[in-house]
């Protein structure tokens, strides 16, 4: 039986926190404040059966030690370093698999279903969740963290600054992991080394179902599961919500916590919080509460019918 509780805090995002019971000043921005997702929704792409990329672990290499430009995202007292969007696009020219992302950029699309899932951009709810974690003083000391759908990896990197023992980063596209996630972690690790505390890190790419299968043997023991799962903007595709729920169940250790930051609705792709809430209710394993909302006004995101740009933060604990 998985028990999830959510608390509500006022002002445009929402966040959920789930629990299971037993019987990031930025110098450059690129399309971060978006609630409308542009995707290839042609007839052919809708009727075509999607082939999801297989999951695999990606090992850092000397290629990710390139001298890249740096942006700074201020998050409380920490200044998180990351590769700027334009620099990441250039870096992709030397990485296998970048053709999907080049195609998306040429078509001015945020997503290409089954090919590219928007990992190069820092999405709005990622910023909100990072700020929330700092504001609430969430303690990651000695904990094992999964940054799920990590993209640039800012949430996992923040967890490293906040004392995490280990952080695993997972994103759909391996080219995103190689072009931005690993370089970002390396840039920040050099800062952490000055304090003598560095979290161990691992990197994974591919479809969530395959990722769960890849990790199943390792996660069969509760001690190897994650104390915290941090995930942002990951419910936009209704077809992947069951995979997300399965990851939550299989990867979180008893007593663990999941922070999920999402918008009420994602234009152009069809996903939204009400669908995911229904999925949680039908599963009957979870009990959820909202721990933070922002609605560009005073409307609670969960109870708003008109404003579809609201954001929701939730928590889930095991």
């Amino acid at each position: 039986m998985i028990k999830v509780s959510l608390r509500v805090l006022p002002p445009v995002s929402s966040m959920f926190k789930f629990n299971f019971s037993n019987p990031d000043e930025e110098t450059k921005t690129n399309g971060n404040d978006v609630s409308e997702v542009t995707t290839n929704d042609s007839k052919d792409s809708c009727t075509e059966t999607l082939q999801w990329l297989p999951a695999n672990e990606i090992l850092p290499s000397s290629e990710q030690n390139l001298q890249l430009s740096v942006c700074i995202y201020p998050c409380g007292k920490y200044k998180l370093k990351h590769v700027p969007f334009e620099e990441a696009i250039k870096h992709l020219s030397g990485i296998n698999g970048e053709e999907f992302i080049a195609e998306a950029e040429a078509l001015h699309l945020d997503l290409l279903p089954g090919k590219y899932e928007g990992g190069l951009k820092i999405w709005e709810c990622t910023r909100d969740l990072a700020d929330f974690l700092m504001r609430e003083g969430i303690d990651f000391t000695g904990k094992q963290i999964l940054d799920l759908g990590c993209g640039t990896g800012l949430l996992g990197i923040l967890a490293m600054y906040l004392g995490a023992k280990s952080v695993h980063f997972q994103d759909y596209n391996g080219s995103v992991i190689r072009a931005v996630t690993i370089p970002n972690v390396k840039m920040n690790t050099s800062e952490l080394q000055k304090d003598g505390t560095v979290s161990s890190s691992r990197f994974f790419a591919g479809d969530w179902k395959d990722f769960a299968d890849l990790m199943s043997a390792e996660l069969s023991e509760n001690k190897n599961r994650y104390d915290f799962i941090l995930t942002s903007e990951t419910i936009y595709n209704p077809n992947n919500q069951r995979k997300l729920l399965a990851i939550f169940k299989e990867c979180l250790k008893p007593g663990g916590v999941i922070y999920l930051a999402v918008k009420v609705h994602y234009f152009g792709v069809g996903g939204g919080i009400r669908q995911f809430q229904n999925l949680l209710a039908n599963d009957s394993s979870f009990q959820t509460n909202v721990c933070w909302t922002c609605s560009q006004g005073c409307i609670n995101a969960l109870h708003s019918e008109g404003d579809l740009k609201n954001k929701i933060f939730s928590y889930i604990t095991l």
Side-chain angles (χ1 to χ4, degrees):
M1 173 70 175
I2 301 167
K3 182 180 180 182
V4 182
S5 48
L6 301 166
R7 297 168 298 166
V8 181
L9 300 171
V12 170
S13 269
S14 304
M15 186 155 40
F16 298 91
K17 178 182 176 182
F18 301 75
N19 23 36
F20 299 88
S21 62
N22 295 321
D24 332 350
E25 172 180 283
E26 177 141 32
T27 56
K28 297 184 182 180
T29 58
N30 296 281
N32 297 315
D33 299 328
V34 217
S35 57
E36 181 169 357
V37 179
T38 50
T39 181
N40 188 347
D41 58 357
S42 67
K43 180 178 179 181
D44 290 341
S45 65
C46 290
T47 56
E48 178 182 317
T49 301
L50 294 178
Q51 297 294 320
W52 299 99
L53 298 176
N56 62 297
E57 182 170 2
I58 296 177
L59 301 178
S61 69
S62 58
E63 294 176 6
Q64 282 107 26
N65 291 328
L66 298 173
Q67 293 297 316
L68 302 171
S69 300
V70 177
C71 279
I72 300 295
Y73 176 68
C75 191
K77 66 179 182 179
Y78 303 111
K79 295 182 179 180
L80 310 185
K81 297 180 179 181
H82 67 92
V83 178
F85 181 79
E86 297 88 349
E87 187 82 9
I89 292 294
K90 294 178 184 177
H91 189 193
L92 283 169
S93 62
I95 297 176
N96 293 331
E98 88 288 344
E99 63 273 5
F100 295 149
I101 300 176
E103 180 183 354
E105 286 302 309
L107 295 172
H108 304 289
L109 299 175
D110 295 316
L111 308 170
L112 280 176
K115 296 181 178 180
Y116 169 60
E117 297 293 327
L120 288 181
K121 296 182 178 180
I122 304 174
W123 296 91
E124 189 178 20
C125 285
T126 297
R127 300 170 181 273
D128 294 327
L129 179 49
D131 292 342
F132 173 87
L133 296 173
M134 287 296 298
R135 187 169 62 249
E136 294 297 304
I138 306 302
D139 185 11
F140 294 122
T141 303
K143 303 300 184 182
Q144 298 176 169
I145 315 296
L146 172 63
D147 187 347
L148 185 63
C150 64
T152 58
L154 290 190
L155 294 175
I157 290 168
L158 177 60
M160 295 171 72
Y161 277 99
L162 294 174
K165 176 183 178 181
S166 67
V167 181
H168 292 180
F169 297 84
Q170 187 279 337
D171 197 76
Y172 183 70
N173 294 98
S175 50
V176 168
I177 294 289
R178 294 183 178 93
V180 293
T181 315
I182 292 176
N184 288 350
V185 170
K186 287 192 172 186
M187 285 191 291
N188 288 278
T189 297
S190 63
E191 289 296 316
L192 288 164
Q193 285 174 335
K194 296 176 183 178
D195 298 327
T197 56
V198 181
S199 309
S200 65
S201 56
R202 292 171 66 185
F203 305 88
F204 301 88
D207 179 57
W208 283 336
K209 183 180 183 303
D210 274 5
F211 173 67
D213 293 341
L214 179 69
M215 300 295 289
S216 60
E218 184 173 334
L219 299 179
S220 60
E221 296 186 37
N222 284 334
K223 67 179 182 179
N224 294 329
R225 296 186 182 188
Y226 301 104
D227 298 289
F228 288 89
I229 297 177
L230 309 176
T231 187
S232 168
E233 312 271 28
T234 45
I235 65 165
Y236 59 84
N237 186 338
N239 297 322
N240 283 335
Q241 290 184 3
R242 289 187 181 277
K243 297 178 186 178
L244 182 63
L245 182 59
I247 288 282
F248 289 172
K249 289 182 176 182
E250 295 173 21
C251 294
L252 194 67
K253 68 171 54 172
V257 176
I258 300 167
Y259 282 99
L260 166 69
V262 298
K263 296 187 177 73
V264 167
H265 184 75
Y266 290 87
F267 296 100
V269 254
I273 188 55
R274 290 181 178 87
Q275 291 170 332
F276 196 64
Q277 284 181 302
N278 289 336
L279 181 61
L280 290 170
N282 292 334
D283 178 83
S284 74
S285 303
F286 292 90
Q287 183 181 9
T288 60
N289 295 313
V290 178
C291 57
W292 186 85
T293 67
C294 177
S295 59
Q296 293 180 318
C298 59
I299 303 173
N300 184 316
L302 281 179
H303 299 97
S304 168
E305 299 297 331
D307 185 357
L308 297 180
K309 293 184 179 180
N310 292 321
K311 297 174 286 183
I312 300 173
F313 291 5
S314 303
Y315 63 82
I316 308 174
T317 64
L318 178 59

